[in-house]
Amino acid sequence: MKSGKKLRLFFSLSWNTDPSYIMLLLTNTLATGIQAVAAVVLPKFLIDELIGGQDMGRIALTGALVVGSNLFFGWLARFMKRCLAVQNPYMNQQLERRLGEKIMNLPYERLEDPYYLDLKERAAFAFLNQQAMEGLITGVAELLQKGVTLFGLVAVLLTLSPLLLAFLLVLVGIMLFLQKMYSGHLKAIHEYILPINRRYGYYVNLVYGDELQKDIRLYDMAGMLGERVDWYNREITRVFGSYRRKEGFYMGLYSVINDLQAAVSYGYVGLRALTDRLGPRIGLGSFTMYVNAAVQFSTGITDFGRAVIRVSQLLGYLDPFMELMSLPEEEEKGGVPLAGPVETIEFSQVDFTYPGSDRKVLDQISFQVRKGEKISIVGLNGAGKTTLIKLLCRLYEPQSGQIRVNGRDIREYEYCSYTAQMAAVFQDFRLFAFTIGENISGRPAGEDEKRLQELARQVGLSEKLASLPDGLHTLLGKAYDEKGVELSGGQQQKIAIARALYKEASLIILDEPTSALDPLAEAEIYENFNELAGGKTAFYISHRMSSSVFCDKILVLDGGRVADFASHSELMQKKDSLYCRLFETQAENYA
């Protein structure tokens, strides 16, 4: 993505986040530029009046303008600086929130694609670790300020000599060329160091994290991890050493060019004040103005160049962020609202292959489900059970075939209204550092307490809640509060199931969420859940075949294809079927 496009995206994001911030930035830019130019121009008239007409009224008026402009613009600059200092962190936080919302709204399939996983990590690293967006906000503000100031100074110098200005602009062109080369070097350093930095962060987190400490100590892995961290430290130091040497070289050239600018400017203005060989002689007031303009121009060019380098560098860092923010979101696809509950589900010749793979996970899948039916999906590992559910939940789209709900292709439905009818508990479900009640309801504490208590009773959590001083209001985990509670895997799974029931969706899915429970507890959960689901349609996935007994039909997947689709009793009569073999083998192990 080109720098101009990235800057437009940056301003678009900033404007959509807080329009007042852009107005504040522009006001500050204009005020700073006007102050710089006024400080150069106004003293000329005061000096000319002191030496020339010496009219006390004009001297007083001009002096008042000089002092008043300095006071006013000085106050305005401090006020704007204070406002920006308050606004910049807010903008950074809001843009960070936009990044989080963007990730949550991306099509789920992108979040399991290695390219987009890497893009997400690089975007988050640049934004959070390198603080690139915060730096870009201040860098763009400085760039605009210096640009407006230079524009005013160029206008002043143009009245003295277009030839001098042309010479200064040639030097500016040389500086910009050097800055472009320097920016290319910075980009190459960034592209090389970023994956190293991410790997370094990964190993450092392993060393400092508490999740893997048992394995690290038990298998004596501390030495290996320490060596890995040390190697990345040395490599990062080597790369940044090269970067600093290049930086010194370029900054040295900038200083030489800047000194050349100052020498030529001072010499030319001095000659114009002493002789008329290079043009009409100028007075003391004009001499002061042009000298100040030349000094400010030389300093401004250097500052402007540094600002350009900084912004260019930060834009390079933010390449992944800008690319991520440009991706289309799931909700943007639109469609027809799903107005009522799920009445029918039909898979018709559905094929699916994961991105980057050439193996079909689902191959010509076809079956139909009516409202209120309880379907168990069984099969060996890798048969495509979870993938089928992901397609139904529109986390992925099939490569061919159709999935129809209520007779319409699910891709034609508006996304949010469609997912509102889905409640799924996956085997890798997550709970949050909220209270138990908030984890179930997804709402602020205190709402629907009677219903939450009833759901807790139905999933078998009442006894545990009764043992906690704050009951449903107990915080999960001790990450933010030492009074938080650490629940067992089985208790966490019951909370996840209660959450699915709370949603009151018309289609409920359990994808092996009871793996941490013993067989008897799992059977009890499924039996109770079957009753709780009532007339709703439900899909169950479990490696324990006993859960299938409670279902109306069993969908047997074998190698991505439908091997059988019938009731438990019908499938048990087919002694050579995969389902019968799986059921009897597992029954023998529990005999």
Side-chain angles (χ1 to χ4, degrees), residues 95-157:
L95 289 170
E96 182 179 341
R97 178 180 177 180
R98 292 286 297 274
L99 173 62
E101 290 174 346
K102 185 71 179 185
I103 292 172
M104 288 190 291
N105 290 330
L106 287 176
Y108 181 82
E109 61 188 42
R110 294 187 187 267
L111 301 181
E112 289 195 347
D113 186 319
Y115 174 81
Y116 291 104
L117 283 173
D118 182 67
L119 180 68
K120 176 173 71 73
E121 286 189 23
R122 289 188 291 126
F125 181 84
F127 194 97
L128 301 175
N129 295 62
Q130 294 177 309
Q131 297 179 321
M133 185 58 77
E134 184 175 356
L136 183 62
I137 290 171
T138 55
V140 167
E142 182 182 3
L143 188 63
L144 290 173
Q145 291 169 11
K146 301 303 179 185
V148 170
T149 302
L150 285 175
F151 181 80
L153 294 175
V154 164
V156 172
L157 290 172

Side-chain angles (χ1 to χ4, degrees), residues 271-282:
L271 286 173
R272 287 290 298 271
L274 297 174
T275 178
D276 58 1
R277 291 182 180 179
L278 300 177
R281 293 180 63 174
I282 58 176

Side-chain angles (χ1 to χ4, degrees), residues 71-92:
L71 288 174
F72 173 74
F73 285 112
W75 169 82
L76 186 60
R78 287 191 294 272
F79 176 74
M80 290 289 123
K81 184 177 180 180
R82 173 61 180 166
C83 290
L84 285 172
V86 172
Q87 199 76 354
N88 282 345
Y90 170 76
M91 278 295 297
N92 192 57

Side-chain angles (χ1 to χ4, degrees), residues 19 87 107 133 194 213 298 321 367 389 461 482 498 517 529 565:
Q87 199 76 354
M133 185 58 77
L194 185 58
Q213 287 299 318
S298 298
F321 174 80
F367 64 91
I389 293 302
L461 271 176
E482 61 182 13
L517 301 178
F529 193 88
F565 186 48

Side-chain angles (χ1 to χ4, degrees), residues 319-575:
D319 259 335
F321 174 80
M322 298 298 184
E323 182 181 351
L324 185 69
M325 296 302 289
S326 300
L327 294 174
E329 298 181 7
E330 187 71 57
E331 294 182 6
E332 294 174 3
K333 294 181 180 179
V336 179
L338 179 57
V342 173
E343 301 284 346
T344 60
I345 299 170
E346 180 183 1
F347 277 64
S348 178
Q349 304 294 306
V350 171
D351 288 347
F352 180 76
T353 302
Y354 280 103
S357 174
D358 56 0
R359 185 182 73 87
K360 276 189 179 182
V361 180
L362 297 178
D363 187 6
Q364 298 293 293
I365 298 293
S366 296
F367 64 91
Q368 294 182 7
V369 176
R370 294 189 298 273
K371 180 182 178 180
E373 286 188 324
K374 310 298 185 290
I375 308 298
S376 175
I377 306 176
V378 302
L380 300 174
N381 287 336
K385 303 184 294 295
T386 297
T387 301
L388 185 147
I389 293 302
K390 287 180 178 179
L391 291 179
L392 181 59
C393 292
R394 282 182 63 179
L395 299 177
Y396 285 95
E397 291 187 2
Q399 273 80 41
S400 63
Q402 282 189 324
I403 305 171
R404 289 186 283 270
V405 166
N406 298 352
R408 185 187 291 271
D409 191 315
I410 62 173
R411 288 170 289 196
E412 298 177 14
Y413 286 117
E414 189 271 326
Y415 184 76
C416 289
S417 67
Y418 180 80
T419 56
Q421 297 297 328
M422 309 278 162
V425 184
F426 292 102
Q427 54 188 316
D428 57 350
F429 69 88
R430 290 291 183 269
L431 300 180
F432 306 97
F434 301 147
T435 66
I436 294 175
E438 289 169 339
N439 268 282
I440 295 174
S441 67
R443 299 178 182 179
E447 294 187 16
D448 268 355
E449 184 141 353
K450 288 185 177 180
R451 186 176 170 215
L452 292 174
Q453 291 285 3
E454 177 59 21
L455 284 174
R457 183 193 65 77
Q458 291 170 347
V459 299
L461 271 176
S462 294
E463 185 176 343
K464 180 62 182 177
L465 289 179
S467 69
L468 300 173
D470 297 322
L472 283 168
H473 303 284
T474 303
L475 190 71
L476 282 184
K478 297 181 180 293
Y480 304 108
D481 190 341
E482 61 182 13
K483 296 180 180 179
V485 62
E486 299 286 356
L487 298 180
S488 68
Q491 290 164 342
Q492 292 181 38
Q493 287 168 332
K494 291 177 179 179
I495 292 176
I497 293 171
R499 180 166 61 190
L501 291 170
Y502 184 91
K503 188 177 180 181
E504 291 190 339
S506 58
L507 175 62
I508 303 177
I509 300 162
L510 296 186
D511 182 4
E512 296 193 70
T514 55
S515 56
L517 301 178
D518 60 67
L520 293 177
E522 182 188 36
E524 182 182 358
I525 284 287
Y526 275 106
E527 188 172 5
N528 290 340
F529 193 88
N530 218 34
E531 295 177 4
L532 292 171
K536 298 176 182 179
T537 308
F539 283 88
Y540 304 120
I541 299 177
S542 176
H543 278 99
R544 292 175 182 147
M545 310 302 293
S546 58
S547 62
S548 302
V549 176
F550 306 112
C551 295
D552 299 304
K553 289 183 180 179
I554 295 95
L555 178 68
V556 184
L557 296 181
D558 187 8
R561 288 179 171 269
V562 176
D564 279 302
F565 186 48
S567 67
H568 170 75
S569 58
E570 290 172 330
L571 292 177
M572 288 303 294
Q573 293 175 9
K574 299 168 64 175
K575 297 299 182 182

